[in-house]
Amino acid sequence: MERTFVHLSQLAFLLINGPLVFLNLAANIFYACCLIFPTCNTQSFKQPLNMLLGYLVWCTTLYFISLMLVSAVFNYVGDFNVFVVSWIILNCYVHNSMTCSVWLNFYYYIQIVPSQRALVIWVKRNLRSITCVALFLDAMFFCFDGVLNIVYLITSSGFADINDTQTDDHIDELFFATHVCFFFIKVYIGICLCIMMVSSFSTAHYLYRHIRSVAQGGGYFSSPRRRSQMRVTITGLSQAVLYFLYATFYFFDEFTYMFSPQFYLSAWVSFTVTSLYLSGTTVNLGIGQTAFKQRAADVWKALKVLCGVGMATNDVKMHSSQLTSGETANTVTVGVQMSLH
């Protein structure tokens, strides 16, 4: 029985992903400028927050740029092997973005929720080093998995000589290694999902209890620090929900492609759902980070000033031209009257 192929048309793919690519690239380039060129008016990011935000912005930007290139290459070249290699590279960016968002939520959990446990205190003291090592290991592992899959694809597709027994054994070893990495990544993504949900809801539960205690004591929840914590907690919860929904689709897509005898989803469907997930992540970054909002407000004010100056200049020109016309008319009238006399 042949498997059913759930496909997304090229027109539908372009209509959905085209605006998403443009908006996400514009937003993430703006975020990158805010991180690279901070101003005196905006709040500067401390480490490891600056590193986490930069890494997340970098992965999202590379994903959407690569998505444009993959679509263009596949439409003009049409080589299936080139498409699969591009798909593997895109998956690498997506995996890194997913784990980075988990570490970002975990960072806020460590910073907001107090704890007397020795392990949590040690993690908080060494959070910068732990985050650097974790992101580096994530990147190395996902890159290793991508290279392994590309080597297996090239070896098993006829680019290498597969007639001798030694090469056949090498292909079998690569096949086994790719499956081991496949299951290891799925387990790791599942662990990250648990960390994301626990850290996000623990932070929300702590702030909820704090608000109730303050309200019962007759106080007001008006501290700027607490308001900032509340904002990043809300965006963290929305990111956790996004992560849960996307992880559910991710597991469904991967396991149906590998093991389902009935159907599997096309890569264009996977890319579209991934684009929607990363778009939600981009929106959460803009809402949750005060520095991004302040810079956006400054840019908007500058644009309004420029537009106001431009309109004022046009008004001055228009009034001066009207005045000149009026003066000319008066001059002509006086001249006619003098000639008549």
Side-chain angles (χ1 to χ4, degrees), residues 85-101:
V85 171
S86 304
W87 177 71
I88 292 171
I89 295 173
L90 281 172
N91 270 343
C92 183
Y93 296 145
V94 174
H95 289 149
N96 281 283
S97 177
M98 291 175 70
T99 55
C100 185
S101 63

Side-chain angles (χ1 to χ4, degrees), residues 174-228:
L174 286 174
F175 179 78
F176 177 76
T178 54
H179 275 64
V180 170
C181 289
F182 173 84
F183 285 106
F184 188 84
I185 288 178
K186 303 308 171 279
V187 172
Y188 182 58
I189 295 296
I191 294 173
C192 289
L193 175 62
C194 295
I195 295 174
M196 170 74 87
M197 303 305 290
V198 170
S199 60
S200 299
F201 285 97
S202 297
T203 307
H205 179 65
Y206 166 75
L207 286 179
Y208 173 74
R209 288 191 307 165
H210 181 76
I211 294 172
R212 286 190 59 185
S213 63
V214 170
Q216 291 174 359
Y220 297 95
F221 196 76
S222 59
S223 170
R225 182 170 177 268
R226 290 299 182 186
R227 288 200 301 268
S228 177

Side-chain angles (χ1 to χ4, degrees), residues 2 62 74 85 141 145 216 250 303 309 317 319 333 336 341:
E2 187 177 355
L62 286 180
F74 185 73
V85 171
F141 175 69
D145 175 69
Q216 291 174 359
Y250 172 81
L303 290 176
V309 171
K317 291 180 179 180
H319 290 317
T333 302
V336 170
H341 289 295

